[in-house]
């Protein structure tokens, strides 16, 4: 993840940092205090900052080379990086008002220039995100990513659940609106409440399909902007460096890969600030306050995506350990505020999350450990040197077998960026910060290879993940996603390289040319392209016109044909389009394998004979010949679901074989608008 570096001195354009913000350990004196006015600290001999753009003497970049925030003894109300010089002569009292007016007049243009730059950068990121999602915006309800349409349907269902939480006061962490009557543990299924609840007005006005594409767009642009803000305020001084770092963190191939399916994963706009607050704690003078701030951000992130929060915590731990290995003396000053702040964070966040986590791990339909279908997902080594599919240089066919699927391309940096990253580490290898970042990136890149390390789909040997996969919490992690941490590390390294290039002993034009050429060579092959979309069946008019309300009661279900499952999620979109006003059986979610709380997870609920039968007909188009035993079992399932009606769209693939199969089970149906309807209330109300 990101470093917690500060500049050796405040930028003239920057706001003064408070005493709770770290200062670079390497940019000060031996005791860790800022060496204001010292030439090696980026200033001139008289204590004034060097001209903007000028390299620091002795080859030290003005952004500093330290790796961990150092303790501060400055007054909390002052910036720790302000020069602490004493005037040689008494100031003229008459000149003070004029000087103050001049300083205020100069501060206002500087403040506006910074805000104008920030707005321009955010506009750039937003336009890029709109470009990436442009094919979804054409028709949000009618366009979906090819190959895997289940995840968007699931997210839309969760967004509709947020509407019910706000408008009807429904329990937020569990629902019976799908997989009825067993229900679904939403805390164990990433219900994105922290995203869905603020978006309730959009969902009510435009529907969950529009909310989905809004979240994807804002997730990409917001993540890039958040990293830009953190980098520009605390790590680098050059705006271009912060833009490059933020751009890659927001639009890396891994982020583009998840964008079509997982807005909860790409919504990482809290992560840079969580990382920064953790590192602020290493020298905080107010650890209680900083611990409270961290706890609030951790709690919010837990309701966006807990897996990404776990990755952030692990990355912070590995990075700090890598720093302390190089600078063990820093621990003596850092452990007290860090320990106090983390303790406050743990107590407060633990209190806020105690009940939701109890529901997640001990509530109804809770599971322990991921399904075997995804537990061994890992990156191929070759994936680190291939461009991602949704990029200029990407090719889906070339990426076959290099990733578990196209929604999990968590590496795919390309050869040019891979070589440039190695070159950056070698060039800046003397900086402890760069060495710590490199160690963090490599560590999680190795873990992302999974249980079996492979090269071009050829298994080589057992990976270290084999020994970690059964540990608590880690047993719920998809290992290929550790590559997301490596992506962020590369983004920060790119920002540092652009910043440090200013100190090269070359003229400005040459430096600018080399910097731009290197960035184009590395980033152009993986520049984002619009996400590829395909059409999907519309929600039937029978649903949108509320014709179903004449059949389905509050404790009954509407059964879509085929029955909702991991591969058939159209029925979940129907329910989401009505804000879950009716219940459905089945669906796409994670649940305990045998329906018992605590079992290992699997996709979907209890196995359904009727569901499997209809899914086979929908896939093959073959009409089975059913006997009385199969009919009785199917009726038993319909009674268990408390089915009111069965609904089959007339434009459903293999609709005619499905219609004739259902007629063997419950008799003839009736065409109503654009669906076939079977009213089975007379059958399901009878005792088994």
């Amino acid at each position: 993840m990101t470093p917690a570096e500060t500049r050796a001195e405040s930028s003239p354009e920057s706001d003064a940092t408070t005493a709770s913000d770290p200062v670079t350990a390497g940019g000060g004196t031996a005791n860790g205090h800022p060496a204001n006015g010292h030439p090696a600290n980026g200033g001139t001999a008289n204590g004034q900052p060097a001209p903007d753009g000028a390299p620091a003497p002795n080859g030290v970049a003005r952004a500093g080379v330290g790796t961990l925030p150092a303790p501060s003894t400055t007054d909390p109300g002052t910036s720790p990086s302000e020069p602490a010089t004493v005037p040689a002569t008494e100031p003229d009292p008459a000149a003070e008002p004029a000087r103050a007016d001049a300083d205020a007049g100069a501060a206002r243009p500087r403040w506006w220039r910074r805000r104008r730059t920030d707005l321009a950068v955010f506009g750039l990121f937003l336009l890029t995100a709109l470009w990436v999602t442009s094919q979804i915006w054409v028709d949000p309800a009618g366009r979906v990513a090819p190959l895997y349409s289940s995840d968007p349907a699931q997210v839309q269902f969760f967004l509709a659940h947020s509407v019910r939480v706000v408008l009807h006061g429904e329990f937020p962490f569990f629902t019976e609106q799908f997989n009825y009557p067993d229900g679904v543990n939403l805390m164990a299924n990433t219900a994105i409440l922290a995203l869905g609840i603020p978006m309730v007005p959009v969902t009510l006005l435009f529907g969950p399909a529009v909310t989905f594409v809004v979240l994807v767009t804002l997730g990409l642009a917001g993540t890039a902007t958040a990293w830009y803000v953190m980098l520009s305020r605390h790590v680098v001084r050059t705006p271009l460096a912060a833009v490059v770092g933020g751009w890659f963190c927001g639009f890396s191939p891994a982020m583009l890969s998840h964008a079509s399916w997982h807005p909860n994963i790409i919504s990482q706009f809290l992560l840079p600030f969580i990382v920064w607050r953790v590192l602020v704690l290493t020298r905080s003078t107010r650890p209680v306050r900083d611990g409270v701030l961290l706890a609030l951000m951790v709690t919010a992130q837990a309701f966006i995506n807990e897996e990404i929060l776990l990755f952030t915590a692990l990355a912070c731990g590995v990075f700090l350990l890598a720093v302390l290995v190089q600078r063990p003396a820093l621990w003596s000053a850092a452990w007290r505020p860090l320990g106090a702040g983390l303790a406050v964070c743990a107590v407060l966040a633990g209190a806020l999350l105690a009940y939701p986590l109890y529901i997640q791990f001990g509530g109804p339909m809770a599971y322990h450990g991921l399904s075997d279908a995804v537990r061994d997902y890992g990156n191929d080594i070759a994936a680190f040197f291939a461009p991602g599919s949704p990029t200029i240089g990407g090719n889906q066919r070339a990426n076959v077998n290099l990733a578990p699927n196209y929604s999990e391309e968590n590496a795919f940096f390309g050869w040019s960026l891979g070589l440039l990253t190695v070159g950056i580490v070698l060039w800046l290898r003397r900086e402890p910060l760069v060495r710590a970042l490199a160690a963090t990136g490599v560590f999680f890149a190795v873990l992302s290879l999974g249980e079996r390390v492979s090269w071009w789909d050829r298994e080589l040997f057992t990976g270290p993940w084999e020994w970690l996969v059964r540990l608590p919490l880690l047993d719920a992690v998809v290992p290929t996603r550790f590559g997301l941490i490596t992506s962020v590390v590369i983004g920060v390294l790119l920002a540092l390289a652009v910043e440090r290039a200013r100190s090269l002993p070359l003229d400005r034009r040459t430096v600018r040319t080399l910097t731009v050429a290197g960035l184009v060579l590395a980033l152009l092959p993986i520049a984002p392209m619009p996400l590829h979309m395909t059409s999907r069946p519309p929600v039937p008019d029978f649903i949108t016109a509320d014709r179903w309300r004449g059949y389905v009661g509050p404790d009954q279900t509407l059964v879509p044909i085929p029955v909702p499952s991991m591969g058939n999620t159209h029925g979940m979109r129907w329910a989401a389009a009505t804000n879950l006003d009716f219940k459905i059986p089945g669906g796409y979610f994670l649940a305990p394998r045998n329906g018992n709380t605590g079992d290992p997870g699997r996709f979907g609920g209890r196995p359904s004979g009727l569901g499997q039968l209809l899914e086979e007909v929908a896939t093959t188009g073959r009409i089975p010949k059913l006997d009385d035993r199969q009919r009785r079992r199917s009726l038993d399932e319909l009674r268990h679901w408390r089915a009111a009606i069965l609904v089959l769209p007339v434009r459903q693939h293999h609709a005619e074989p499905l219609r004739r199969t259902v007629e063997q089970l419950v008799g003839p149906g009736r065409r109503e608008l654009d669906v076939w309807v079977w009213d089975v209330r007379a059958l399901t109300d009878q005792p088994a």
Side-chain angles (χ1 to χ4, degrees):
M1 299 298 290
T2 63
E5 277 308 288
T6 56
R7 307 177 185 124
E9 59 182 14
S10 296
S11 170
E13 294 84 3
S14 65
D15 300 325
T17 55
T18 65
S20 62
D21 288 335
V23 295
T24 45
T29 59
N31 63 1
H33 296 168
N36 294 302
H38 195 283
N41 196 37
T44 58
N46 63 0
Q48 300 300 318
D52 188 32
N58 303 324
V60 180
R62 295 179 68 199
V65 296
T67 57
L68 190 68
S72 172
T73 57
T74 59
D75 184 88
T78 63
S79 169
S81 56
E82 292 175 352
T85 56
V86 178
T89 60
E90 289 295 326
D92 182 6
E96 289 303 319
R99 185 179 300 113
D101 291 342
D103 291 344
R108 282 192 293 270
R110 286 199 296 268
W111 177 89
W112 171 241
R113 283 198 299 270
R114 159 168 276 191
R115 296 301 179 266
R116 189 169 53 188
T117 299
D118 292 346
L119 290 173
V121 171
F122 175 69
L124 170 66
F125 291 155
L126 182 59
L127 288 175
T128 304
L130 289 170
W131 158 257
V132 169
T133 57
S134 56
Q135 291 195 25
I136 320 178
W137 278 109
V138 171
D139 183 9
R143 306 281 283 171
V144 69
L147 301 179
Y148 320 112
S149 62
S150 299
D151 286 331
Q154 183 192 63
V155 172
Q156 291 177 34
F157 196 98
F158 292 157
L159 293 172
H161 171 71
S162 292
V163 172
R164 296 184 70 83
V165 171
V166 173
L167 295 188
H168 306 298
E170 286 204 357
F171 187 61
F173 309 134
F174 185 87
T175 184
E176 292 183 344
Q177 296 305 115
F178 69 134
N179 193 40
Y180 186 84
D182 292 335
V184 175
N185 190 317
L186 296 177
M187 275 304 298
N189 276 273
T190 315
I192 58 171
L193 292 169
L195 301 178
I197 289 177
M199 296 297 290
V200 162
V202 177
T203 306
L204 284 172
L205 290 173
F206 305 106
V210 171
T211 304
F212 177 87
V213 66
V214 169
L215 288 177
V216 171
T217 305
L218 295 181
L220 293 170
T223 299
T225 301
W227 281 109
Y228 160 78
V229 170
M230 198 280 285
L231 290 170
S232 64
R233 300 303 192 270
H234 305 298
V235 180
V236 295
R237 178 169 299 173
T238 310
L240 177 61
V243 170
V244 169
W247 171 281
F248 189 79
C249 290
F251 299 100
S252 68
M255 293 285 284
L256 297 175
S257 169
H258 286 284
S260 296
W261 296 278
H262 306 137
N264 57 313
I265 290 179
I266 65 171
S267 297
Q268 299 180 14
F269 38 79
L270 285 178
L271 302 192
F273 305 111
I274 290 175
V275 172
W276 182 245
R277 298 316 300 181
V278 168
L279 297 170
V280 162
L281 284 174
T282 62
R283 62 166 304 275
S284 175
T285 58
R286 290 181 284 184
V288 173
R289 182 208 63 173
D290 292 333
V292 168
L293 292 174
L294 180 61
L296 295 177
M297 289 189 286
V298 164
T299 302
Q301 178 60 39
F303 289 110
I304 297 176
N305 188 283
E306 291 175 300
E307 185 179 39
I308 298 299
L309 178 60
L310 177 61
F311 288 172
T312 306
L314 293 174
C316 286
V318 171
F319 175 79
L320 286 174
L321 183 61
V323 169
L324 293 175
V325 166
Q326 302 174 77
R327 301 280 184 85
L330 295 176
W331 179 245
S332 60
W335 75 268
R336 286 185 178 85
L338 180 63
L342 291 181
V344 170
C345 175
V347 170
L348 180 56
L352 294 173
L353 294 172
Y355 183 65
L357 291 177
Y358 163 73
I359 296 296
Q360 177 176 346
F361 294 106
M365 298 298 285
Y367 61 88
H368 293 168
L370 285 179
S371 166
D372 293 337
V374 298
R375 194 180 69 176
D376 61 347
Y377 275 8
N379 291 324
D380 193 294
I381 295 176
F384 288 91
F385 306 103
S389 295
T391 62
I392 287 181
N395 186 329
Q396 282 192 347
R397 293 183 180 179
N399 291 349
V400 172
N401 298 325
L402 294 185
N405 56 57
Y406 294 120
S407 69
E408 296 287 353
E409 292 188 353
N410 294 296
F412 294 88
F413 305 122
W415 278 104
S416 54
L417 179 58
L419 292 175
L420 179 63
T421 303
V422 173
I424 291 171
V425 173
L426 293 176
W427 169 38
L428 302 177
R429 64 188 181 277
R430 295 183 182 277
E431 297 192 24
L433 166 61
V434 173
R435 292 198 296 266
L437 284 170
T440 304
V442 170
F443 179 83
F444 288 104
V446 171
L447 289 186
S448 77
L449 301 177
E451 298 179 60
R452 302 289 181 269
V453 178
S454 60
W455 169 260
W456 286 107
D457 202 29
R458 177 179 295 179
E459 186 176 316
L460 301 178
F461 49 84
T462 300
W465 186 245
E466 170 73 17
W467 305 307
L468 302 174
V469 67
R470 292 172 183 83
L471 295 177
L473 297 183
L474 295 183
D475 62 355
V477 165
V478 181
T480 176
R481 295 177 184 173
F482 282 121
L484 291 164
I485 301 175
T486 303
S487 292
V488 172
V489 167
I490 291 177
V492 179
L493 287 173
L494 287 172
L496 290 173
V498 173
E499 175 79 3
R500 301 299 193 263
R502 301 171 62 197
S503 64
L504 291 173
L506 301 170
D507 63 89
R508 285 190 176 185
R509 179 174 298 179
T510 302
V511 169
R512 189 179 300 113
T513 301
L514 291 176
T515 301
V516 172
L519 292 175
V520 170
L521 179 66
L523 299 181
L524 183 60
I526 56 172
M529 293 293 289
L531 300 172
H532 181 55
M533 295 289 135
T534 188
S535 298
R536 61 181 172 184
V539 176
D541 294 338
F542 177 81
I543 301 296
T544 58
D546 287 345
R547 296 285 284 270
W548 59 271
R549 294 186 186 274
Y551 299 94
V552 185
D555 294 323
Q556 295 175 312
T557 62
L558 181 153
V559 182
I561 303 298
V563 179
S565 65
M566 183 177 181
N568 297 291
T569 55
H570 296 314
M572 295 180 66
R573 291 195 299 115
W574 303 356
T578 69
N579 291 323
L580 311 189
D581 283 347
F582 60 80
K583 298 179 174 67
I584 60 173
Y588 171 48
F589 53 91
L590 276 163
R593 185 168 300 166
N594 300 309
N596 300 315
T597 294
D599 287 345
R602 59 167 287 161
F603 288 105
R606 301 174 190 268
S608 164
L610 176 58
Q612 292 173 357
L613 170 67
L614 295 176
E615 183 174 358
E616 184 176 348
V617 176
T619 303
T620 65
R622 292 195 295 267
I623 304 173
K625 218 170 179 183
L626 305 179
D627 55 28
D628 290 340
R629 184 167 176 265
Q630 288 174 302
R631 293 190 188 96
R632 287 196 302 271
R633 287 190 171 183
S634 296
L635 285 176
D636 287 342
E637 286 197 68
L638 292 175
R639 292 189 185 102
H640 179 68
W641 295 337
R642 301 201 61 180
I645 54 174
L646 282 64
V647 179
L648 170 65
V650 296
R651 291 190 293 272
Q652 166 72 38
H653 184 58
H654 288 148
E656 184 59 20
L658 283 167
R659 182 182 69 82
R660 293 169 62 182
T661 301
V662 174
E663 286 183 342
Q664 292 186 64
L665 295 171
V666 297
R670 182 177 68 257
R671 171 99 182 242
E672 191 166 345
L673 294 181
D674 53 351
V675 301
W676 289 98
V677 178
W678 288 265
D679 186 345
V680 296
R681 288 175 291 181
L683 298 174
T684 57
D685 287 343
Q686 297 176 2

